[in-house]
Amino acid sequence: MKTYQVAGIGNAVVDVLSTVPDRFLDDHTVRKGIMQLIERDRAEALFAAMSARDTAPGGSVANTLAGLGKLGLRTAFTGLVADDDLGRGYAADMAAQGTDFPNPPAAGAALPTSRCMIFVTPDGERSMNTYLGISAELGPDDVNETVMADSEMVFLEGYLFDKDKGKQAFLKAARACRGTGGRAGIALSDPFCVDRHRTDFQALVAGDMDFVIGNEAEWVSLYQANDLDDALARAARDCPLVVCTRSGDPVRVIHDGRVTDVPVDRVTPVDATGAGDQFAAGFLLGLVQGHDMGTAARMGCMAAAEVIGHLGARPVTDVGARMRDAGLI
């Protein structure tokens, strides 16, 4: 038995959430419904403009691992934080939630711990403005090969593809895991990120990934396809397991050429933050437990439905109990 069932690599970001009216976005030139990378001065200005805010440890893959930890899996997260108040709190919180954090906060770091200002409008849509800080500096030297080799599965975050050393870190982790019989996968993360690094993403999907999770916009962007069917057909030729989430439409899974569509229960969102992250948590739980693709996708949908029912990107109720009640686990 390996020490970890799922190990992840991604940005270690402190989420700062605030519920705002739509006019706030206009007043502060915040683009609705997407993630934007911002500089330090802009981050400080937006933070100061938030009249009420809640903070929580975040980052896409870190959120997924937190969900998996709540579902009982053994997990580890590789990310970079500074030795400041936010960074020390982040590391302590990950450990308290049962996820090992192999890299201690970096003393004397030139950059502060990363943070993301998330503005939630009355329709539940989230508009994210992320200052990457130290987390974007993660490279291959920060990857503990022993941790990756001792994991059944490695899950990677596409956002880190914005720097070459992030790409190198991914390859090191994936190859260490696969070298001991594990599986490696990635979340595409964002269509704009895919646009910036299309060729490298395509090479990674075709060469080192056992599974890839993305939404409709991300898949179409990756292959510059005419439509989703074309994009997923091309993806399935590159990777044995392809997953596409489509908001309220059925999730599509293509595994070794076999297509499975899984309907979702429509839920009025309170906050859509973390829906994709928790879908990944439920789906990966299904993979780890050896379920068929339809069951794994249903588990993902159930986890996503829980998190959009409240503020914040991590589950607050017992998702595992819901899955047991539904006969999934």
Side-chain angles (χ1 to χ4, degrees), residues 97-111:
Q97 294 187 29
T99 294
D100 284 356
F101 194 76
N103 297 347
L111 296 172

Side-chain angles (χ1 to χ4, degrees), residues 213-226:
I213 300 174
N215 63 31
E216 183 171 357
E218 291 157 2
W219 283 116
V220 170
S221 173
L222 180 60
Y223 291 99
Q224 293 182 297
N226 295 323

Side-chain angles (χ1 to χ4, degrees), residues 103-322:
N103 297 347
L111 296 172
T113 297
S114 309
R115 69 286 313 271
C116 177
M117 274 64 69
I118 303 173
F119 301 101
V120 185
T121 41
D123 58 0
E125 190 60 80
R126 83 277 196 208
S127 306
M128 299 182 289
N129 289 258
T130 302
Y131 168 60
L132 292 177
I134 193 174
S135 69
E137 299 303 310
L138 187 143
D141 292 344
D142 302 305
V143 174
N144 186 322
E145 283 186 292
T146 300
V147 170
M148 301 305 159
D150 202 17
S151 302
E152 295 178 21
M153 187 178 298
V154 167
F155 190 48
L156 311 171
E157 181 178 312
Y159 286 129
L160 275 177
F161 247 53
D162 272 316
K163 292 195 175 181
D164 286 342
K165 55 188 174 183
K167 300 171 189 176
Q168 295 162 13
F170 281 4
L171 291 176
K172 182 178 179 180
R175 290 169 184 175
C177 178
R178 297 179 90 199
T180 56
R183 291 178 286 180
I186 190 170
L188 293 178
S189 296
D190 182 86
F192 299 105
C193 185
V194 171
D195 282 341
R196 291 191 294 270
H197 306 283
R198 182 173 291 107
T199 300
D200 286 337
F201 265 118
Q202 289 179 354
L204 184 73
V205 169
D208 291 276
M209 294 295 101
D210 298 293
F211 62 92
V212 183
I213 300 174
N215 63 31
E216 183 171 357
E218 291 157 2
W219 283 116
V220 170
S221 173
L222 180 60
Y223 291 99
Q224 293 182 297
N226 295 323
D227 54 40
L228 181 62
D229 289 341
D230 180 31
L232 294 182
R234 294 170 64 181
R237 291 195 291 268
D238 287 343
C239 185
L241 176 52
V242 170
V243 184
C244 179
T245 58
R246 297 186 288 169
S247 297
D249 293 327
V251 174
R252 176 158 295 178
V253 183
I254 308 176
H255 183 221
D256 291 335
R258 181 177 179 181
V259 178
T260 302
D261 285 332
V262 176
V264 302
D265 293 329
R266 291 184 176 271
V267 177
T268 301
V270 173
D271 173 16
T273 310
D277 304 338
Q278 295 312 317
F279 172 85
F283 186 80
L284 295 185
L285 175 65
L287 291 188
V288 168
Q289 294 187 338
H291 291 296
D292 63 83
M293 295 299 104
T295 300
R298 286 193 291 274
M299 294 165 78
C301 292
M302 188 167 290
E306 190 278 344
V307 82
I308 67 174
H310 57 78
L311 286 175
R314 299 185 177 188
V316 298
T317 64
D318 190 342
V319 180
R322 296 187 185 191

